[in-house]
């Protein structure tokens, strides 16, 4: 089969899975069921959730913010097939989105709990993100990245979160071969 990018929902769910935050229990309905609240208060309808993307609140005029950059269907019309585009805004979205940053921090916390040995941590991160061990070159580059980033940031958690975010935004993570 041809290589293809994951759709928005799958990408979000994959990030939650790798970070250890995915809640596989069925969602408890949507805020839409509370019509009075919607009519009278109309606050933010996109409440934070670690449930699968299928349980998110989808409104015609307001897609979930963590999915908005990735070719969601037009909610006002029947769509037989989604458009697929690759634009610079998608990469910028992944670098700056609070959801992605939070998942990178959770992912880093998982990695840091595994062991004190950096090489073992790197291997664990690669296994979680890509389902494989890093190549010797990737291992050396990741180790160098961690050394440089730790010198700049001075914080081990932020250092590992930076590496974890870098893994989450790679093409290897976002595409299905």
């Amino acid at each position: 089969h041809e290589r293809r990018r994951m759709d928005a929902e799958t990408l979000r769910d994959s990030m939650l899975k790798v970070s250890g935050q995915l809640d596989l229990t069925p969602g408890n309905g949507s805020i839409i069921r509370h019509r009075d609240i919607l009519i009278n208060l109309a606050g933010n309808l996109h409440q934070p959730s670690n449930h699968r993307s299928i349980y998110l609140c989808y409104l015609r005029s307001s897609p979930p913010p963590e999915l908005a950059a990735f070719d969601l269907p037009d909610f006002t019309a029947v769509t037989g097939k989604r458009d697929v585009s690759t634009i610079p805004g998608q990469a910028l979205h992944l670098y700056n989105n609070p959801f992605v940053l939070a998942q990178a921090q959770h992912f880093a916390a998982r990695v840091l709990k595994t062991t004190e040995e950096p090489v073992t941590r790197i291997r664990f991160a690669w296994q979680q993100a890509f389902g494989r061990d890093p190549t010797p070159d990737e291992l050396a580059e990741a180790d160098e990245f961690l050394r440089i980033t730790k010198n700049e940031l001075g914080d081990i958690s932020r250092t590992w979160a930076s590496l974890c975010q870098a893994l989450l935004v790679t093409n290897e993570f976002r595409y299905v071969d």
Side-chain angles (χ1 to χ4, degrees):
H1 67 90
E2 290 183 30
R3 185 174 196 224
R4 63 180 170 79
R5 191 184 69 224
M6 284 190 245
D7 60 37
E9 295 87 352
T10 305
L11 180 59
R12 179 186 175 276
D13 291 354
S14 296
M15 286 184 185
L16 285 167
K17 175 69 173 153
V18 167
S19 71
Q21 300 299 301
L22 183 63
D23 183 352
L24 293 172
T25 60
N28 189 17
S30 144
I31 196 166
I32 300 298
R33 72 179 184 264
H34 303 292
R35 285 185 308 251
D36 293 339
I37 294 172
L38 287 175
I39 293 167
N40 297 321
L41 300 178
N44 183 4
L45 301 177
H46 299 292
Q47 301 300 316
S49 172
N50 289 340
H51 285 91
R52 290 182 52 221
S53 297
I54 195 168
Y55 298 116
L56 294 178
C57 180
Y58 288 83
L59 301 171
R60 289 182 188 168
S61 61
S62 178
E66 61 265 23
L67 305 179
F70 292 96
D71 301 315
L72 290 174
D74 178 4
F75 298 128
T76 61
V78 176
T79 305
K81 185 177 178 182
R82 287 188 188 188
D83 293 329
V84 178
S85 64
T86 302
I87 57 173
Q90 293 166 339
L92 292 171
H93 176 82
L94 292 174
Y95 283 114
N96 297 306
N97 186 279
F99 172 81
V100 178
L101 296 172
Q103 297 322 304
Q105 290 168 349
H106 291 300
F107 186 14
R110 282 187 71 203
V111 170
L112 289 170
K113 287 180 186 174
T114 60
T115 182
E116 293 293 319
E117 176 59 38
V119 171
T120 305
R121 287 176 174 173
I122 293 169
R123 284 194 175 108
F124 177 78
W126 249 256
Q127 276 293 331
Q128 295 304 301
F130 307 133
R132 65 172 180 84
D133 284 332
T135 65
D137 286 343
E138 290 171 330
L139 193 59
E141 289 172 2
D143 194 44
E144 178 73 5
F145 175 85
L146 290 168
R147 188 181 60 73
I148 291 169
T149 307
K150 185 177 180 197
N151 287 339
E152 288 180 14
L153 299 177
D155 181 323
I156 192 74
S157 296
R158 288 178 55 207
T159 298
W160 279 93
S162 294
L163 178 65
C164 290
Q165 182 184 8
L167 297 178
L168 294 177
V169 303
T170 61
N171 282 345
E172 186 173 353
F173 186 79
R174 296 183 294 139
Y175 282 79
V176 179
D177 286 328

